[in-house]
Amino acid sequence: MGKLLEISTKSNLRSNKALRSCLPYKQAVTVGITFTVEDMQKHVMVKELIKKLELDGKKTTVMCYLPHDKVNYEFLFDFFSNKDFSFFGKLTSSKAIDFASTAFDYLFYLDTEPNPLILNLLARSKAKCRMGKFWDEGEPFFEFMLETTSDTKGLIDGIYRYTSILH
């Protein structure tokens, strides 16, 4: 699926005509969060971020990628997996497609290394402002990238800190 997924992702990037903008944090209402399931520690960090966002009055929606060898802790978050992609690299999960079709005010991508399956989701995304960790080829996927330490906590803290001060 590798090369076909890459072709599908590039096609999604080209055809995506979503309006992009970066709202001031106080005006933002909806936040999408996506990440790759790794371990319980990352799961807890995401839940803490959600709590902060909800205390700030934001409505959050989460869509995670669940690798075949990982556990979906607590079944708290919606997820998609390899099975949700066709042979040709097209996303088939209705929940993931709905997530990508939602015009979130912000969409946070919380992986420290790019995951090609989530990049496909980001390429389809109608979010107004997509945010994630900086890497050289990341520009087409984000409106805002953070050059940060390589750990998840630093990325999550940085994204929250920088978005919460946007005016």
Side-chain angles (χ1 to χ4, degrees):
M1 178 169 56
K3 193 67 176 165
L4 294 174
L5 177 67
E6 189 179 318
I7 291 167
S8 171
T9 299
K10 285 180 180 173
S11 172
N12 287 332
L13 279 171
R14 275 192 309 275
S15 64
N16 191 337
K17 304 295 183 215
L19 293 175
R20 309 290 184 193
S21 65
C22 204
L23 283 176
Y25 186 75
K26 288 186 175 167
Q27 291 177 17
V29 176
T30 57
V31 177
I33 297 172
T34 189
F35 66 97
T36 302
V37 172
E38 291 173 16
D39 55 26
M40 189 59 171
Q41 181 182 358
K42 186 174 186 180
H43 189 80
V44 168
M45 286 187 276
V46 171
K47 284 175 34 179
E48 289 170 358
L49 173 62
I50 291 167
K51 254 187 229 160
K52 280 186 199 176
L53 293 167
E54 288 176 347
L55 285 172
D56 291 347
K58 311 302 176 208
K59 181 182 179 298
T60 59
T61 305
V62 179
M63 177 59 61
C64 57
Y65 167 69
L66 183 65
H68 72 280
D69 59 342
K70 299 294 179 182
V71 175
N72 186 18
Y73 302 99
E74 305 171 50
F75 296 96
L76 189 61
F77 305 133
D78 285 334
F79 67 92
F80 66 101
S81 68
N82 288 19
K83 295 177 199 161
D84 294 308
F85 284 86
S86 73
F87 173 78
F88 299 105
K90 292 196 77 67
L91 186 59
T92 60
S93 162
S94 60
K95 285 185 179 185
I97 291 168
D98 288 347
F99 180 86
S101 299
T102 303
F104 297 109
D105 293 322
Y106 296 127
L107 175 57
F108 299 158
Y109 177 34
L110 304 179
D111 287 351
T112 56
E113 292 294 320
N115 175 330
L117 298 171
I118 293 183
L119 293 182
N120 187 279
L121 188 72
L122 290 173
R124 298 173 69 99
S125 175
K126 302 297 183 203
K128 294 177 186 122
C129 185
R130 301 165 296 173
M131 302 178 175
K133 185 178 187 303
F134 173 85
W135 86 94
D136 290 335
E137 295 84 34
E139 191 177 331
F141 299 96
F142 300 107
E143 285 64 55
F144 187 93
M145 291 189 288
L146 246 65
E147 194 153 352
T148 183
T149 57
S150 61
D151 73 336
T152 302
K153 180 160 180 30
L155 177 61
I156 289 172
D157 291 347
I159 284 178
Y160 180 77
R161 181 173 56 251
Y162 286 111
T163 54
S164 63
I165 60 172
L166 286 173
H167 288 67

